[in-house]
Amino acid sequence: MAGPGRLKQKRRVRKKSTVCIYIFVILFTYLVGGDVVFASVSFPTGETIKMGMSGASVASLQQYLSGIGFYSKDMITGYFGPLTQKAVWYFQKYSGIGATGIVDQKTDQKIRESLVATSSINSVSETNFSTSTVSINGSSTLIGSSTTTLMIHGDYHIQERPDYDLRRLALQIQNLINDKRAEFKLDPVSWDEELVDVPREHSIDQAKDNIDLTNRSLACSYPIIRHEGFTPYGYSLKDRLASRYIRYRYAGENIAMVPLSKNLLYLNPTDKEIEPCDKVDKFEPGEGTEEERTKLFREVLNKSEEAVKKLVSVVWVNKEWRTEKELAEMTVDGWMNSPGHRDNILRPEYSTAAIGIAIVNDYIIITHDFLGY
């Protein structure tokens, strides 16, 4: 970005800009019934436990519910409040007993049974978006799709999300990009500190669209990304560069939206069967006036928002997180396997670049802008 001294300078710009989008689709596996082995605690006590109570028995209940994914370990207080009541209700629904939110005799017995249950399945491999059903303790309980091998071993847990260093991640991605350029005997693109605000602002702009569409309590997500900008910084990449008084001859942009989490399992809190996620058209790059493209984007966004309204909250049982290294490799591999993104990465005219990253719920949005002079 040039300083105010360049306000009156004539900028030499061309309309040679290439933009590409890549969305990594996140798929889920569903845990919808049956008993699973979990770590044993000093519980149950045999007494009725309900709203307003407090003490060691409530703390033990919360510890048990935390161990099976119904309750946050950070909320173990020994007081039976609305959150504990809701967790008990979900456990009762999952166990097929009357859902009252009160730990009564039936609930006490079900907890005892679950603490001695054993799992008969060790692993399941699901690929190519196929759906599989796995039997645990004689009942069909695990249904879902995944692009990885998911190990089912009874030791489910919710990991705390790492404190990602977005600057470091951006540099890792650019280093991998330069490794790919080196394979084709191309010069590296240097990090352009004056450019970095352009992709960062655009990633933040896109993140705002995805707050509701990637609600972390829902089983389905409808991520959406775009090259079009809806901020004062400009509609197109060319506009955004001009707003920052950046000079260039060639410009290009790659975007990716990548899930931070992996190995996801959740419990179905309702009596209804799991419905497949609604299919919603993607907002693809294309030609058209600003008015036409904006209208199309709003239509896709509205359909995605309507799809989200149909969803119910689920209880996560297992959630793990990708490392920065995994995220960087996943992003670059995805771009290299997409012709348009690959062309941008391997364009010899580009000499500088910068990356801006934004986090929204359990996703990151990565915008990579390239310049040539």
Side-chain angles (χ1 to χ4, degrees), residues 7 35 112 118 137 146 163 192 194 211 238 292 301 310 326-327 333 353 355 359 368 372:
L7 285 172
D35 293 325
R112 292 177 189 276
T118 57
N137 292 333
S146 177
D163 185 14
D192 191 336
E194 291 188 336
I211 294 173
K238 175 184 175 182
E292 292 169 340
L301 182 62
K310 299 177 184 179
E326 289 176 315
L327 293 169
D333 288 347
I355 295 173
I359 293 181
H368 196 181

Side-chain angles (χ1 to χ4, degrees), residues 2 18 75 152 181 198 242 245 287 311 314 325 331 335 364:
T18 308
M75 298 298 291
I152 307 302
R181 289 176 65 90
V198 175
Y245 307 104
E287 300 296 325
L311 303 174
V314 296
K325 182 175 182 292
T331 300
W335 280 339
I364 55 170

Side-chain angles (χ1 to χ4, degrees), residues 102-252:
I102 298 172
V103 180
D104 52 17
Q105 187 175 357
K106 287 184 179 179
T107 308
D108 186 276
Q109 182 59 34
K110 184 59 67 173
I111 291 171
R112 292 177 189 276
E113 293 172 1
S114 70
L115 288 173
V116 298
T118 57
S119 175
S120 61
I121 294 296
N122 293 320
S123 66
V124 57
S125 177
E126 303 169 296
T127 57
N128 298 327
F129 297 77
S130 61
T131 297
S132 302
T133 300
V134 177
S135 175
I136 296 181
N137 292 333
S139 59
S140 296
T141 58
L142 183 67
I143 305 173
S145 303
S146 177
T147 54
T148 62
T149 298
L150 182 63
M151 300 305 294
I152 307 302
H153 47 71
D155 185 20
Y156 302 117
H157 58 283
I158 306 294
Q159 289 183 346
E160 267 189 60
R161 191 172 80 183
D163 185 14
Y164 292 107
D165 185 326
L166 300 187
R167 169 78 174 194
R168 183 172 60 205
L169 176 57
L171 292 172
Q172 286 185 56
I173 293 172
Q174 181 138 316
N175 287 340
L176 290 177
I177 293 293
N178 281 330
D179 289 343
K180 297 298 181 183
R181 289 176 65 90
E183 290 176 13
F184 290 84
K185 303 189 184 308
L186 297 173
D187 291 334
V189 288
S190 60
W191 182 265
D192 191 336
E193 196 63 42
E194 291 188 336
L195 174 62
V196 72
D197 283 343
V198 175
R200 181 166 54 221
E201 287 159 357
H202 192 51
S203 288
I204 293 172
D205 179 32
Q206 295 170 86
K208 295 174 184 176
D209 300 331
N210 286 278
I211 294 173
D212 294 330
L213 302 186
T214 60
N215 186 326
R216 64 183 62 180
S217 69
L218 303 177
C220 301
S221 292
Y222 298 92
I224 186 170
I225 51 180
R226 52 180 163 75
H227 290 287
E228 291 80 0
F230 302 112
T231 71
Y233 298 114
Y235 169 76
S236 67
L237 173 59
K238 175 184 175 182
D239 296 334
R240 293 191 291 275
L241 292 170
S243 73
R244 290 286 182 176
Y245 307 104
I246 293 176
R247 301 177 59 154
Y248 65 94
R249 186 176 183 184
Y250 303 98

